[in-house]
């Protein structure tokens, strides 16, 4: 008998959730997916669900865990990720990253498979549908980008045709099991989705939009182009959005950005509320105990990170805070903590922080960093330093000299600006850099941190296989066509 996919017409549908079932008869109150796309109003309802998947796939501490594996933290406890243990292939967070992105991809595919079948009667309706299609194409590009950063090697044009990519699911077929494509095919698809989305989306220009705009799509394209060594295209994409979004240029403005999620820098900020979609963003960087009124952080900033900032740099007093901390019932005074996720008071449900923030999916400061890196990679050293200095000036830091090594300064500035946002491991991979955690402990915390072998003294070469995450073991077992990374 014929297998069909149905869309439940219930409160679930009103949030846009597509449900796939293999049934011989229709469940009561359900229709086929294709029948759920009969009007622009149907597409509008289903669009809401797409934004729910998009927020869930790009938000929360799951997006930050790559930093644990890198060199910017020192732990007060133990962590298999921090210690680079072989069991990372069974890590729940890595498993959830893989499954969350692919689930969102399947839902995006269901939308894209059917949105073009809707008939429109006016140009305005067609424009509206094209916008929705562009939004979901961009979402799919972001999902595959998230996976590529984590589960693939760094892109190198000379080997991309033979290096392993991702299984590319481009239509809705929940039962399908595909082999891995090549790295080149994967990045080509990501690039294609992003560039097609740009053609369909309204430009944007106003900070903090809840819905995807052409500006956010340009920001995503800049990230993609940087990874694909398309230096000129990365620069062009950044130049298209930089003039529209003002950098925070004071301690007050930076605090407003990182505490209140409010800034002219924010290019994309999906909706959340206390009751809808909110997530804690604390990876254990603060760890305030409301009962004890003490701080029990899980991770501390490495000393070398703190040393990157000049006294005049506004970021040093916003991104970090000094507290007395506790470990093993011992108090350690004047220890620096990361403070980029203190919690936005409008989302508190009690008198103390729950560390919830709105998802800030792209800030214009990153466009300056992408542009400067692309300029450095294309031997435009003077231009790269000038771009960095624009950002540094806004942050209260001194200007770099024109003769400075542009690429080295890019690495330092990206670390200063984007510290504790989850991207350090992937920056190291892109730069083909290993690390050495020696001398990473703050002096006031030497007796507080975990000194188990394989932690604070760990060093890794740039070609270590575990810079690339392994596909979750359950997925490897379920799909025998998948070739493991390790």
């Amino acid at each position: 008998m014929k297998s069909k996919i149905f869309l439940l017409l219930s409160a679930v549908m009103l949030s846009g959730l597509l449900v796939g079932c293999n049934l011989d008869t229709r469940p009561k109150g359900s229709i086929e997916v294709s029948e759920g796309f009969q009007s622009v109003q149907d597409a509008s309802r289903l669009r809401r669900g797409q934004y729910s998947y998009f927020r869930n796939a790009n938000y929360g501490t799951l997006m930050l865990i790559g930093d644990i594996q890198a060199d910017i933290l020192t732990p007060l406890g133990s962590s298999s990720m921090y210690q680079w243990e072989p069991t990372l292939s069974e890590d729940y967070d890595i498993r959830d990253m893989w499954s969350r992105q692919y689930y969102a991809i399947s839902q995006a595919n269901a939308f894209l498979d059917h949105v073009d079948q809707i008939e429109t009667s006016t140009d305005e309706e067609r424009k509206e549908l094209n916008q929705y299609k562009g939004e979901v194409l961009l979402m799919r590009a972001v999902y595959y980008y998230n996976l590529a950063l984590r589960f693939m090697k760094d892109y190198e044009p000379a080997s991309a045709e033979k290096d392993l990519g991702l299984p590319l699911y481009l239509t809705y077929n929940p039962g399908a099991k595909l082999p891995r494509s090549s790295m080149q095919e994967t990045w080509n698809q990501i690039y294609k989705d992003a560039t097609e989305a740009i053609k369909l989306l309204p430009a944007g220009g106003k900070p903090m939009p809840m819905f995807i705009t052409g500006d956010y799509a340009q920001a995503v394209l800049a990230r993609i182009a940087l990874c694909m060594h398309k230096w000129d295209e990365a620069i062009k994409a950044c130049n298209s959005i930089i003039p529209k979004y003002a950098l925070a240029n004071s301690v007050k403005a930076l605090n407003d950005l990182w505490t209140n999620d409010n800034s002219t820098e924010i290019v994309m900020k999906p909706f959340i509320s206390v009751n809808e979609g909110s997530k804690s963003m604390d990876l254990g960087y603060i760890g305030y105990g409301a009962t004890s009124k003490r701080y029990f952080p899980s991770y501390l900033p490495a000393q070398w990170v703190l040393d990157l900032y000049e006294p005049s740099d506004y970021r040093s007093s916003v991104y970090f805070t000094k507290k007395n901390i506790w470990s093993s019932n011992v108090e350690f005074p004047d220890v620096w903590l990361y403070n980029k996720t203190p919690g936005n008071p409008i989302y508190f449900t009690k008198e103390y922080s729950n560390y919830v923030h709105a998802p800030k999916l792209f800030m214009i400061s990153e466009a300056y960093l992408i542009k400067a890196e692309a300029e450095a990679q294309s031997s435009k050293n003077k231009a790269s330093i000038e771009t960095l200095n624009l950002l540094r000036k806004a942050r209260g830091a001194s200007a770099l000299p024109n003769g400075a090594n542009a690429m080295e300064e890019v690495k330092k500035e990206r670390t200063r600006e984007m510290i504790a946002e989850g991207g350090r491991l992937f920056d190291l991979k892109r730069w083909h850099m290993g690390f050495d955690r020696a001398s990473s402990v703050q002096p006031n915390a030497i007796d507080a941190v975990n000194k188990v072998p394989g932690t604070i003294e760990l060093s890794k070469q740039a070609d270590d296989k575990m810079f690339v995450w392994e596909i979750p073991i359950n997925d490897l077992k379920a799909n025998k066509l998948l070739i493991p990374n390790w």
Side-chain angles (χ1 to χ4, degrees):
M1 287 178 282
K2 188 176 179 181
S3 174
K4 294 183 178 180
I5 302 169
F6 300 111
L7 184 66
L8 296 180
L9 291 176
S10 64
V12 171
M13 181 182 172
L14 294 178
S15 69
L17 179 61
L18 296 169
V19 180
C21 310
N22 289 324
L23 299 175
D24 295 319
T25 59
R26 296 183 182 184
K28 185 178 180 180
S30 71
I31 60 173
E32 291 185 39
V33 170
S34 60
E35 294 175 17
F37 287 81
Q38 297 298 307
S39 69
V40 176
Q41 289 73 28
D42 290 339
S44 179
R45 286 194 296 270
L46 295 168
R47 173 199 191 210
R48 300 174 204 168
Q50 295 299 324
Y51 272 95
S52 177
Y53 307 132
F54 184 64
R55 179 181 59 211
N56 190 48
N58 289 279
Y59 173 48
T61 55
L62 202 61
M63 301 304 294
L64 307 179
I65 59 173
D67 282 350
I68 298 174
Q69 201 177 337
D71 58 346
I72 62 171
L73 309 173
T74 50
L76 276 72
S78 60
S79 164
S80 60
M81 183 165 282
Y82 189 84
Q83 295 171 223
W84 288 56
E85 293 179 354
T87 54
L88 279 185
S89 61
E90 302 174 31
D91 184 270
Y92 286 171
D93 287 331
I94 291 177
R95 176 204 65 188
D96 290 349
M97 173 57 70
W98 176 274
S99 63
R100 190 173 293 180
Q101 304 303 315
Y102 270 112
Y103 180 76
I105 287 167
S106 73
Q107 303 307 316
N109 286 341
F111 188 95
L112 294 170
D113 282 352
H114 296 97
V115 67
D116 285 337
Q117 78 184 23
I118 296 174
E119 295 183 2
T120 57
S121 57
T122 67
D123 290 343
E124 284 302 310
E125 284 188 339
R126 177 48 55 189
K127 182 179 179 181
E128 184 177 348
L129 277 183
N130 283 341
Q131 177 182 335
Y132 298 166
K133 181 179 179 179
E135 290 169 350
V136 179
L137 278 170
L138 199 280
M139 291 176 189
R140 188 170 70 180
V142 172
Y143 303 144
Y144 276 121
Y145 172 85
N146 290 339
L147 290 165
L149 285 188
R150 293 160 175 82
F151 296 96
M152 287 164 42
K153 295 179 181 178
D154 176 57
Y155 177 89
E156 288 296 335
S159 59
E161 291 288 358
K162 65 177 185 296
D163 288 334
L164 288 171
L166 298 167
L168 289 176
Y169 296 90
L170 303 177
T171 60
Y172 184 71
N173 187 352
K177 291 181 171 60
L178 298 181
R180 299 178 70 169
S181 63
S182 72
M183 179 179 289
Q184 189 67 58
E185 289 170 329
T186 295
W187 279 111
N188 285 350
Q189 184 61 49
I190 297 170
Y191 178 83
K192 179 183 178 183
D193 279 350
T195 52
E196 288 187 359
I198 288 170
K199 299 172 186 176
L200 299 172
L201 291 166
K206 294 182 179 180
M208 299 184 289
M210 291 189 298
F211 298 106
I212 289 170
T213 65
D215 286 350
Y216 176 59
Q218 290 285 357
V220 171
L221 180 62
R223 286 174 172 169
I224 296 165
L226 184 70
C227 290
M228 295 184 73
H229 299 200
K230 295 177 179 286
W231 314 127
D232 289 343
E233 192 154 356
I235 294 167
K236 181 181 178 183
C238 291
N239 283 339
S240 74
I241 59 174
I242 282 174
K244 301 180 184 181
Y245 301 85
L247 288 165
N249 59 4
S250 67
V251 169
K252 182 179 183 299
L254 273 180
N255 269 321
D256 205 21
L257 167 59
W258 289 105
T259 299
N260 301 316
D261 309 319
N262 179 51
S263 177
T264 56
E265 287 204 20
I266 302 173
V267 180
M268 178 64 191
K269 190 177 83 168
F271 171 80
I272 67 162
S273 69
V274 171
N275 300 314
E276 182 179 342
S278 61
K279 295 182 183 181
S280 170
M281 293 298 293
D282 183 28
L283 199 60
Y285 291 155
I286 300 175
Y288 179 72
T291 302
S292 65
K293 301 189 184 306
R294 296 174 177 178
Y295 290 88
F296 300 92
S298 300
Y299 300 97
L300 305 176
Q303 183 61 46
W304 72 266
V305 171
L306 298 168
D307 293 340
L308 285 174
Y309 299 85
E310 300 172 275
S312 64
D313 195 321
Y314 306 143
R315 295 170 292 194
S316 63
S317 61
V318 176
Y319 296 0
F320 308 93
T321 185
K322 186 180 283 187
K323 301 291 182 182
N324 291 1
I325 68 167
W326 288 77
S327 179
S328 301
N329 294 318
V330 178
E331 184 177 18
F332 297 87
D334 298 330
V335 175
W336 288 102
L337 309 181
Y338 283 119
N339 195 43
K340 270 191 167 179
T341 54
N344 186 332
I346 68 171
Y347 303 122
F348 290 3
T349 56
K350 297 182 179 179
E351 67 274 13
Y352 49 86
S353 178
N354 53 9
Y355 308 109
V356 169
H357 284 276
K360 300 183 284 288
L361 300 191
F362 193 94
M363 287 165 285
I364 204 63
S365 55
E366 186 181 347
Y368 285 83
L369 294 165
I370 292 172
K371 180 184 177 185
E373 185 169 340
E375 288 168 336
Q377 292 284 18
S378 51
S379 301
K380 299 172 183 173
N381 290 350
K382 182 180 178 182
S384 178
I385 294 298
E386 289 173 351
T387 300
L388 291 177
N389 279 337
L390 291 171
L391 175 60
R392 288 175 61 80
K393 180 180 179 181
R395 299 309 197 227
S398 61
L400 300 168
N402 284 333
N405 183 315
M407 193 61 212
E408 289 306 308
E409 295 300 336
V410 164
K411 293 174 183 177
K412 293 176 186 176
E413 201 62 37
R414 188 173 178 95
T415 305
R416 290 186 191 99
E417 181 61 32
M418 300 189 70
I419 198 70
E421 293 183 36
R424 176 63 177 175
L425 184 72
F426 316 122
D427 288 342
L428 292 174
K429 184 165 68 171
R430 188 175 68 256
W431 297 332
H432 296 199
M433 288 178 60
F435 63 81
D436 186 345
R437 290 178 183 154
S439 304
S440 65
V441 183
Q442 297 178 47
N444 288 0
I446 286 176
D447 293 327
V449 302
N450 183 353
K451 298 183 181 66
V452 172
T455 55
I456 59 174
E457 81 292 347
L458 186 71
S459 62
K460 289 291 179 180
Q461 298 298 312
D463 61 354
D464 192 291
K465 67 180 183 180
M466 291 174 69
F467 270 100
V468 180
W469 290 356
E470 181 57 281
I471 296 171
I473 190 166
N474 287 343
D475 291 88
L476 290 172
K477 289 178 178 178
N479 183 0
K480 299 299 183 182
L481 298 175
L482 293 177
I483 300 172
N485 282 324
W486 305 347

